[in-house]
Amino acid sequence: MGGRAPDDPESSSATAIQDTRVEKEAPRASTAAVAPAARTIPNSGLTAWLQVLGAFCLYFNTWGLLSAFGSFQSFYEAELLASNTAFQISTIGSLQSFVLVFLGFLAGPLYDAGYARHLLSVGSVLIVVGAVCQSFCSSLWQLLLAQGLCIGIGCGALAVLSVAIPSLWFTTRLPIANGVAGIGSGLGGVIFPIIVRNLLPRVGFGWTVRSIVLVNLVLLGVANAVLRAPRAPTSRRRRLVDTASLADRPYVLFVAACFAVFLGMYTPFFYAPTFAARAGYTSQEQSFYIVTAMNLASIPGRVAPPLLAQRLGPAGVLRVMLGTAVALGACALGFIGCRNIVSVYVVACFYGFFTGSFFALQPTCFATLTKDMKVLGTRFGMAFTVLSVALLFGSPISGALQGRLDTCGPNEDFKVT
């Protein structure tokens, strides 16, 4: 009796306003329910494999270019920079490899923040510009700036992309996807020395390097066309260091193990040709092909062990990686027993095979040890920064030792001069 009638105007108005609010809030609730849907990793398909193709092109023009430095080292020592020591010349390749890996400290967080497309564009331009400048160089300091610094920065911008992007498109097939992408590094290490070896006597240093620039342009153009950035840039600020990773014991131990491997990883690539030529096992011209053989052998090494790791599962990846590291160290020591060119090639091929395996399995191991994929790029960058120190000092130390130790003949051991 004392309440308002259902058709009371004031009551109807309040009810209408309440109904309107409910109707407006309903779509918001529906949208909020749909927004958190996680992205499904396809693990197959044309777009996914095109990312592998793009990563292949990046590997070809970063690690493949670095793997071919041994050919330039031999030419620089014999002709262009004959007045400089092996240690001084090796600083070009060491600077390039150091900058390539060290820039992961910045490239990793930028990748996580959504700037993959920017890294891809800037890195591609710097590699091409640096190589063009390299073709006009005639002194050590010029090569340090062009080949060491400029190309190194460009490679550093692309290196994280080549290892991180396949992880966004593959799960159970990630080991083989990374292995196929990593073939680009081995193939680049095969093709670039062949270009150097065949064109240097015919067209000279300048046009030889410009021919390499043409290869860079084509393959980097393919990478820019097919690679898909993971997401648009966000306003959220990314930390350079993921502090939680520093307390992740498996991650820290794996980075430390990789540091030990990287300390001597490129010594055979830089110095095996010079070693064989000075020991009298082969001529200076034919020694170029030792680097080619190592990189060619790395191609099956990037496929076979990842296939085995894929069958064994996540834990199997780490076991295969451990066996690969042990085999790599054994092959490096095998150069001590070389007494002729055949033995040099045999040891070099085995070393190249296990080098390829190491590089193919490394990004999969990092992905396996990472629970939150949102910080994958940052964790790659942190690891790369540590590994860059090993790359910076490893080859120059080898060059300094080469100045103290000399091979006196095909049947003699190293001895102090």
Side-chain angles (χ1 to χ4, degrees), residues 269 291 293-302 328 331 335 346-359:
F269 285 91
V291 177
M294 282 194 284
N295 286 295
L296 188 62
S298 75
I299 294 176
R302 295 172 191 274
L328 191 60
C331 290
F335 281 101
V346 170
V347 174
C349 287
F350 274 105
Y351 188 86
F353 178 90
F354 289 111
T355 299
S357 302
F358 182 86
F359 275 113

Side-chain angles (χ1 to χ4, degrees), residues 66-74 77 90 94 189 193 260-277 287-295 327-336 338 343-355 359 391 394-399 401-402 414:
L66 178 62
S67 298
F69 181 76
S71 298
F72 286 110
Q73 173 92 18
S74 297
E77 287 186 27
S90 70
S94 295
V261 174
F262 269 67
L263 194 61
M265 170 77 77
Y266 280 99
T267 296
F269 285 91
F270 285 12
Y271 294 106
T274 304
F275 157 71
S287 67
F288 280 96
Y289 290 108
I290 297 174
V291 177
T292 302
M294 282 194 284
N295 286 295
L328 191 60
C331 290
L333 293 174
F335 281 101
I336 298 175
C338 292
S343 60
V344 171
Y345 270 100
V346 170
V347 174
C349 287
F350 274 105
Y351 188 86
F353 178 90
F354 289 111
T355 299
F359 275 113
L391 289 175
S395 295
I397 289 173
S398 300
L401 289 174
Q402 186 186 26
F414 288 107

Side-chain angles (χ1 to χ4, degrees), residues 3-26:
R4 294 182 183 271
D7 56 349
D8 184 87
E10 186 177 347
S11 176
S12 300
S13 176
T15 304
I17 292 173
Q18 185 177 3
D19 291 343
T20 303
R21 288 176 178 174
V22 171
E23 289 176 0
K24 289 182 178 179
E25 291 174 2

Side-chain angles (χ1 to χ4, degrees), residues 153-215:
I153 293 174
C155 292
L158 302 181
V160 169
L161 301 181
S162 63
V163 297
I165 286 182
S167 303
L168 299 174
W169 296 86
F170 294 91
T171 53
T172 57
R173 295 180 178 177
L174 182 59
I176 189 60
N178 279 324
V180 172
I183 290 176
S185 175
L187 198 58
V190 171
I191 292 178
F192 287 133
I194 291 177
I195 293 175
V196 172
R197 169 70 183 86
N198 287 278
L199 292 186
L200 269 177
R202 293 180 173 87
V203 299
F205 174 71
W207 283 106
T208 297
V209 177
R210 287 170 208 136
S211 301
I212 292 176
V213 172
L214 180 61
V215 177

Side-chain angles (χ1 to χ4, degrees), residues 80-94:
L80 189 64
L81 302 178
S83 60
N84 296 98
T85 66
F87 171 81
Q88 291 173 330
I89 294 171
S90 70
T91 57
I92 301 170
S94 295

